[in-house]
Amino acid sequence: MEERYHPKKIEEKWQRIWEEKNSFRVTEDPRLPKYYLLEMFPYPSGRIHMGHVRNYSIGDVVARYKKMRGFNVLHPMGWDAFGLPAENAAIERGVHPAKWTTENIAYMRDQLKQMGFSYDWDREVATCEPGYYRWNQWIFLKMYERGLAYKKMSSVNWCPSCETVLANEQVITREVTNIPLCWRCDTSVATKELEQWFFRITAYAEELLRDLDQLAGWPEKVLLMQRNWIGRSEGAEFDLPVEGRPDLKIRVFTTRPDTAFGMTYAVLAPDHPLVDRLVAGAGERAEVERFRSEVLKQSEQERTAEDRPKRGLRLSVQVVNPFNRAAIPLFIADYVLTTYGTGAIMAVPGEDQRDWDFAKAHGLDIIETVKRPPDWTGEAYTGDGIKINSGFLDGLTVAEAKRRAIDWLVERGLGEAKVNYRLRDWGISRQRYWGTPIPIIYCDSCGIVPVPEKDLPVTLPPDVPFTGKGGSPLREDELFLKVICPKCMGVARRETDTMDTFVDSSWYFLRYLSPKLDSAPFDPDKAGYWMAVDQYIGGVEHAVMHLLYARFFTKVVRDLGLTKVGEPFTNLLTQGMVCKETYRCEEHDWLFPEDLAGSEKEGWRCPRCDAPVRQGRVEKMSKSKKNIVDPEQLITYYGADTARLFALFAAPPEKDLEWSDQGVEGAYRFLTRLWRFVHQHRDVLVRARGDIEQGEVPPQFKELRRIIHRTIKRVTDDIEGRFHFNTAIAAIMELLNALGQVVRDGSEWKGEAPLVKGGLETIVTLLYPFVPHAASELWESLGHQTGLEEVRWPFYSPEALEEEQLLIVVQVDGRVRGKITVPADAGKDHIEAEALADPRVKSFLAGRAIQRVIQVPRKLVNIVLEGRTE
Ligand code: ANZ
Ligand code: ZN
């Protein structure tokens, strides 16, 4: 038997055993309660990082724990395998994206296996396989049939260097310059008009918002982010007549119809379709075009940023405020977007700060329509109050006036109440190779023709040139491009856009249920058994888009009749980031890796200029921060169990975890200590017979029994409640200390061996979800034949939790005067204080001074008073 802790050896051993026994393979079993545990699947970048180690260690604790609690646990893993880095590798190094991706998957799969995660590997999926993305195409076609997938011109964020469309969240701004930049290459982002495919997620806006109320198991902050992203606003839409142009009306959306009497100008988005019909003459047209092209160079984020000056151009026509028949100026301005509401606004500088800023800059009138509070010193007033300067609305509150204004519009047929969402339809077109081809054909005679279902999948052609220049490589491939039109059999051409990779991750949790099925995306019966996901775990960076898209897809496939659930994830845990110190030379402001920074003893120095360097801030681990720790070193040197224990012990899951070498050392030391303890006493322990739960526990061991049960309770509560793994592990460590105490006191065993053995078995069982290899090995060392993966989670007995009480006799001057009960572990001082405070005893002290107090442990207190002659 091994006396020393050799993680490598035992980890390989147990991984082999679990694999041979298919320990984590599951099927639907109606007799068992099911538990679907899902962790966000990784992008196969090449190697796992500490964020993965943390995410998947958290998940593995839950999976193994739930299994021990008798659940039928589904715990799958796969690969979010399409995406730009593979294509970049092809451009830079000439490796085909498929080869690059497959090799990365193989390597990372191996790493995950070395971590000992309890996945059902039979269910592995990779989204870049035709067997998977075929169903992206199938769902697309179903959505196309229902009008949920459609094509339109739209202006997109365009990176001229990557030659690709960027989503809003891929556009970043650096603090100082405020210029929108491509998140990958830092090139400044332009706007471009393109025909794009969209998913009509807005058709589900109301439901996506409403159903958030069902998600009691989600963090409040994520619910809030989802709510804000959907951004529901209630208000009104109505028409502004154009002076002298009875053929034209401008429709505006406002959330404040009550402020209409304060409208002193109106604004159209520069790219609003009416603008061209409103301009008079070549001079104005040229001016408008110049202004428009200036504005369209900016991203929407930049245009709507609060603190920047708003730019506008006054048109020659005027419009009429229908409420008071006043003629007012009309502008085009950068702060109004075509993509929201109607793309046109009534401007009310008195109550809207953006309009206030603009009015001040352009010398426009400001009319207040809500009475300000007496101490008001601000600019636009957005608060509540009584209406003024507002004709028939005067004297009403804001809420009353809103209603009355809408009624007024409706009565005259000028407008109506209207709800608007900030949520936009989901643009899924990408001008890239490494993604799902959109299954559409363009025919000169038939127009847009969807690829017939029987012709799916439309596969990616293997050989295309990756030059990095121009648009999608698919455009260069004649064989892919040319296709027979399924309607007229004429020559047609294929769509060359591929789908946003968020499509792939919007339903992968359903594919895991029947990963090899080739007649449907997933088996509805299996979905009936497993869905919804009971616990989803992943990074908070996916709190908005990914979760919203997955919720949307779930509702769509429900409406296709494939599943009954409307929400995919019942509970959500968003884990914090893994952080580490960064090293920055302030002299010439650059970051460098820790191993160039010298040592703590000699002081950190900049490797370039030798200037002393303050150890930097603690920041998220990332390549650009040069503060990465590769988990592979950790696994090789300390083993997977130490890596897991560190990741779980150093912080509660939802908080950031700061890397620390001492923390890793500490985790390793704890495992070594436990290992040594078991092996030191192994012979005695294996032979120890007798059940601590039955029969009389000798009084001197009652306290230890209580600690054992208290530990079970604590660990159970910590895992069940908020996944407080760090405190759970701390409780287990305390129990080991308590056992150490008992054994140290009795080098000769006096009947406590069964209890110590029970305590160790408890430790090992409780530790199994955290460090499954070490726990399994120790379990075996303690003489068990059945693997821990088949053992049930221990129960605590409430009776054992009760603190043992001792009955202590209190004497005064040698005569029994009272009895007190104290906890068994009460100290001398505590017992003395209790004895002196006892009312009966007190009456015998009668104000006399106490000479001394004598105690017989666990039995007796004798209070000796002054002045007694012995
Ligand atoms: C007049 C008004 C007066 C407004 C007032 C607000 C306050 P939310 O709440 O985000 O939905 N708006 C409407 N369409 C716009 C567009 N395409 N681009 C920029 N701004 C637009 O915002 C709705 C308000 O934002 C609308 O109500 C409109 O300004 C502006 F005291 O109308 B409001
Ligand atoms: Zn045709």
Side-chain angles (χ1 to χ4, degrees):
M1 180 48 61
E2 282 294 324
E3 294 288 327
R4 281 198 51 206
Y5 175 45
H6 279 301
K8 191 104 205 136
K9 214 156 139 191
I10 61 165
E11 285 170 6
E12 276 167 13
K13 167 182 160 185
W14 287 98
Q15 284 159 20
R16 198 173 52 245
I17 290 176
W18 295 326
E19 191 162 332
E20 279 163 8
K21 293 210 295 192
N22 285 317
S23 298
F24 310 115
R25 187 183 287 173
V26 279
T27 51
E28 301 69 41
D29 184 343
R31 293 162 307 171
L32 292 178
K34 67 93 187 180
Y35 194 85
Y36 186 176
L37 176 73
L38 182 71
E39 295 132 34
M40 290 181 184
F41 65 166
Y43 178 75
S45 55
R47 306 167 80 80
I48 60 169
H49 54 64
M50 277 307 294
H52 295 133
V53 168
R54 186 176 195 203
N55 189 169
Y56 304 149
S57 295
I58 293 168
D60 206 46
V61 174
V62 182
R64 290 182 188 258
Y65 169 77
K66 286 289 175 183
K67 182 152 184 242
M68 292 174 102
R69 295 303 300 253
F71 286 89
N72 192 24
V73 177
L74 174 59
H75 189 204
M77 185 38 72
W79 310 97
D80 191 9
F82 273 139
L84 203 64
E87 206 156 328
N88 287 344
I91 295 162
E92 285 160 23
R93 278 172 280 149
V95 213
H96 194 276
K99 183 170 185 296
W100 186 85
T101 305
T102 319
E103 285 172 6
N104 285 350
I105 288 177
Y107 195 84
M108 288 172 76
R109 183 196 296 116
D110 217 56
Q111 289 188 306
L112 292 184
K113 288 191 170 175
Q114 282 178 47
M115 286 296 297
F117 298 132
S118 61
Y119 299 127
D120 179 355
W121 282 106
D122 285 355
R123 294 174 184 267
E124 181 180 353
V125 301
T127 57
C128 64
E129 287 161 5
Y132 185 91
Y133 68 70
R134 151 186 201 174
W135 300 109
N136 285 346
Q137 295 171 338
W138 185 88
I139 294 169
F140 177 97
L141 292 176
K142 296 289 169 197
M143 287 170 71
Y144 182 74
E145 272 170 31
R146 285 161 179 73
L148 290 172
Y150 68 96
K151 208 176 185 197
K152 70 171 181 197
M153 278 302 260
S154 90
S155 58
V156 292
N157 303 307
W158 177 259
C159 172
S161 155
C162 299
E163 295 192 302
T164 193
V165 175
L166 299 174
N168 281 341
E169 61 277 13
Q170 294 174 321
V171 177
I172 52 167
T173 50
R174 299 250 179 263
E175 282 147 38
V176 195
T177 57
N178 218 18
I179 295 169
L181 303 172
C182 171
W183 67 322
R184 289 196 202 85
C185 69
D186 270 10
T187 305
S188 101
V189 171
T191 307
K192 183 170 170 165
E193 287 286 315
L194 273 183
E195 277 249 280
Q196 305 268 307
W197 284 97
F198 284 82
F199 283 154
R200 205 181 298 280
I201 190 172
T202 52
Y204 286 83
E206 189 64 52
E207 203 192 336
L208 286 166
L209 184 69
R210 194 190 59 214
D211 288 355
L212 290 172
D213 295 342
Q214 298 173 18
L215 302 177
W218 282 37
E220 205 42 62
K221 71 166 188 253
V222 176
L223 293 174
L224 188 68
M225 286 160 90
Q226 295 259 315
R227 251 177 222 119
N228 289 342
W229 191 262
I230 297 167
R232 182 181 196 275
S233 343
E234 270 179 37
E237 251 184 45
F238 64 95
D239 292 324
L240 306 180
V242 181
E243 239 191 0
R245 295 288 297 271
D247 57 322
L248 293 180
K249 284 182 293 219
I250 293 174
R251 197 157 182 90
V252 294
F253 170 69
T254 177
T255 49
R256 292 290 302 275
D258 64 290
T259 63
F261 285 88
M263 173 190 339
T264 54
Y265 65 97
V267 185
L268 289 169
D271 44 345
H272 190 290
L274 275 185
V275 174
D276 284 335
R277 296 173 62 192
L278 289 167
V279 292
E284 187 174 25
R285 188 170 301 276
E287 252 186 295
V288 163
E289 256 156 37
R290 189 163 358 97
F291 181 77
R292 185 178 341 186
S293 74
E294 279 293 299
V295 170
L296 292 185
K297 270 189 208 139
Q298 302 163 357
S299 74
E300 289 194 354
Q301 274 157 317
E302 204 193 357
R303 284 171 57 182
T304 50
E306 265 168 37
D307 50 352
R308 57 184 290 286
K310 287 149 190 67
R311 295 187 307 157
L313 180 72
R314 184 168 176 172
L315 301 183
S316 51
V317 289
Q318 304 216 96
V319 293
V320 178
N321 177 351
F323 284 81
N324 59 10
R325 319 279 333 143
I328 51 170
L330 177 65
F331 285 80
I332 56 177
D334 59 355
Y335 74 102
V336 175
L337 309 173
T338 27
T339 43
Y340 187 66
T342 58
I345 64 160
M346 68 163 186
V348 185
E351 278 84 36
D352 184 311
Q353 188 61 40
R354 297 162 297 183
D355 297 344
W356 198 93
D357 294 339
F358 191 86
K360 280 284 169 194
H362 292 82
L364 298 159
D365 292 343
I366 298 177
I367 301 172
E368 301 182 349
T369 77
V370 182
K371 193 166 165 45
R372 270 55 174 164
D375 51 350
W376 176 254
T377 55
E379 300 173 340
Y381 176 68
T382 56
D384 208 352
I386 298 300
K387 298 304 299 184
I388 51 172
N389 304 325
S390 293
F392 66 92
L393 300 175
D394 277 352
L396 300 177
T397 64
V398 167
E400 286 163 352
K402 276 186 189 170
R403 254 175 276 131
R404 282 283 281 282
I406 292 173
D407 290 345
W408 187 90
L409 287 166
V410 172
E411 280 159 23
R412 283 159 188 75
L414 296 171
E416 64 199 1
K418 176 83 189 179
V419 173
N420 245 307
Y421 297 92
R422 199 144 286 281
L423 182 69
R424 318 276 170 84
D425 280 338
W426 173 11
I428 60 152
S429 281
R430 296 291 180 274
Q431 293 66 44
R432 287 174 200 151
Y433 169 80
W434 196 231
T436 305
I438 294 177
I440 286 290
I441 290 166
Y442 299 102
C443 169
D444 286 340
S445 3
C446 313
I448 296 181
V449 184
V451 172
E453 233 177 85
K454 66 170 177 41
D455 293 343
L456 296 184
V458 177
T459 51
L460 288 168
D463 299 312
V464 293
F466 294 100
T467 58
K469 300 196 184 72
S472 166
L474 289 177
R475 294 187 145 190
E476 315 298 319
D477 189 309
E478 279 297 307
L479 271 174
F480 175 81
L481 217 52
K482 269 207 192 136
V483 61
I484 304 286
C485 169
K487 269 199 188 155
C488 70
M489 299 301 157
V491 176
R493 80 201 139 74
R494 282 193 193 282
E495 171 68 65
T496 55
D497 283 355
T498 54
M499 296 183 200
D500 180 4
T501 56
F502 271 121
V503 175
D504 311 334
S505 53
S506 291
W507 67 282
Y508 72 111
F509 44 91
L510 289 161
R511 187 65 184 167
Y512 282 142
L513 308 182
S514 37
K516 293 170 189 92
L517 190 67
D518 63 4
S519 55
F522 60 93
D523 181 337
D525 289 339
K526 299 196 165 168
Y529 180 82
W530 290 112
M531 286 300 284
V533 171
D534 295 276
Q535 181 69 54
Y536 195 25
I537 305 175
V540 74
E541 66 274 17
H542 291 300
V544 180
M545 309 309 292
H546 163 60
L547 292 175
L548 194 68
Y549 294 154
R551 297 179 60 222
F552 166 54
F553 258 58
T554 303
K555 292 175 194 305
V556 169
V557 295
R558 176 204 57 197
D559 292 347
L560 294 176
L562 293 176
T563 162
K564 293 204 170 57
V565 299
E567 282 293 334
F569 314 124
T570 308
N571 295 291
L572 174 71
L573 174 74
T574 47
Q575 107 240 13
M577 297 181 302
V578 181
C579 304
K580 191 175 181 300
E581 282 170 319
T582 50
Y583 297 78
R584 183 191 292 276
C585 172
E586 283 169 24
E587 202 58 39
H588 50 284
D589 189 37
W590 72 305
L591 285 152
F592 49 89
E594 181 185 4
D595 47 4
L596 293 181
S599 72
E600 199 163 1
K601 256 193 242 128
E602 287 148 29
W604 320 105
R605 287 187 172 277
C606 170
R608 260 203 210 163
C609 67
D610 213 37
V613 166
R614 248 184 294 128
Q615 222 162 318
R617 281 185 293 171
V618 175
E619 292 176 272
K620 182 185 167 153
M621 269 189 195
S622 74
K623 280 214 184 84
S624 62
K625 294 274 163 19
K626 303 202 164 76
N627 63 347
I628 294 254
V629 176
D630 186 347
E632 190 158 283
Q633 294 167 11
L634 185 60
I635 302 168
T636 315
Y637 195 76
Y638 291 100
D641 281 335
T642 294
R644 295 168 62 121
L645 193 61
F646 166 71
L648 295 164
F649 183 51
E654 68 281 0
K655 294 271 161 56
D656 287 352
L657 178 150
E658 193 188 331
W659 175 268
S660 119
D661 293 329
Q662 297 94 303
V664 175
E665 275 290 334
Y668 184 75
R669 262 203 316 276
F670 169 69
L671 292 176
T672 315
R673 196 150 62 84
L674 176 63
W675 185 271
R676 264 198 263 112
F677 190 93
V678 170
H679 283 91
Q680 230 166 28
H681 307 296
R682 206 179 141 255
D683 294 341
V684 185
L685 294 175
V686 170
R687 271 184 280 113
R689 289 278 178 273
D691 195 329
I692 51 157
E693 296 310 321
Q694 264 147 41
E696 198 40 36
V697 180
Q700 67 271 33
F701 302 140
K702 277 216 165 116
E703 180 56 13
L704 182 57
R705 176 161 178 261
R706 192 176 71 79
I707 296 173
I708 293 172
H709 283 258
R710 188 186 61 189
T711 308
I712 299 173
K713 177 170 167 31
R714 278 195 194 166
V715 175
T716 310
D717 292 350
D718 283 346
I719 298 182
E720 280 288 340
R722 291 293 309 149
F723 300 143
H724 281 158
F725 303 137
N726 54 329
T727 51
I729 295 166
I732 299 172
M733 290 173 169
E734 276 177 38
L735 176 54
L736 182 61
N737 289 343
L739 293 181
Q741 221 64 46
V742 171
V743 173
R744 194 180 317 137
D745 293 351
S747 46
E748 269 170 49
W749 294 81
K750 302 191 198 78
E752 68 272 43
L755 192 61
V756 172
K757 182 182 182 183
L760 275 174
E761 286 174 342
T762 304
I763 289 181
V764 165
T765 314
L766 296 179
L767 271 180
Y768 167 77
F770 303 93
V771 289
H773 313 90
S776 297
E777 184 68 20
L778 291 172
W779 182 251
E780 194 179 77
S781 304
L782 286 167
H784 293 277
Q785 248 86 77
T786 331
L788 263 180
E789 70 281 356
E790 285 162 44
V791 167
R792 281 305 166 91
W793 188 253
F795 284 96
Y796 59 88
S797 85
E799 157 268 319
L801 288 180
E802 283 167 20
E803 285 189 46
E804 201 199 337
Q805 301 281 323
L806 295 176
L807 188 67
I808 308 265
V809 173
V810 186
Q811 299 178 334
V812 178
D813 286 339
R815 277 200 220 141
V816 176
R817 296 302 191 193
K819 283 176 184 148
I820 54 168
T821 48
V822 294
D825 57 355
K828 263 188 135 175
D829 293 348
H830 176 106
I831 295 174
E832 181 175 324
E834 289 282 310
L836 293 172
D838 184 79
R840 242 181 74 84
V841 173
K842 254 188 182 159
S843 68
F844 286 95
L845 302 179
R848 287 167 62 192
I850 295 164
Q851 192 186 42
R852 59 201 163 109
V853 179
I854 305 160
Q855 288 198 28
V856 180
R858 302 175 75 89
K859 290 206 172 72
L860 181 130
V861 180
N862 185 14
I863 302 164
V864 182
L865 300 176
E866 293 274 8
R868 177 174 173 263
T869 44
E870 257 161 288

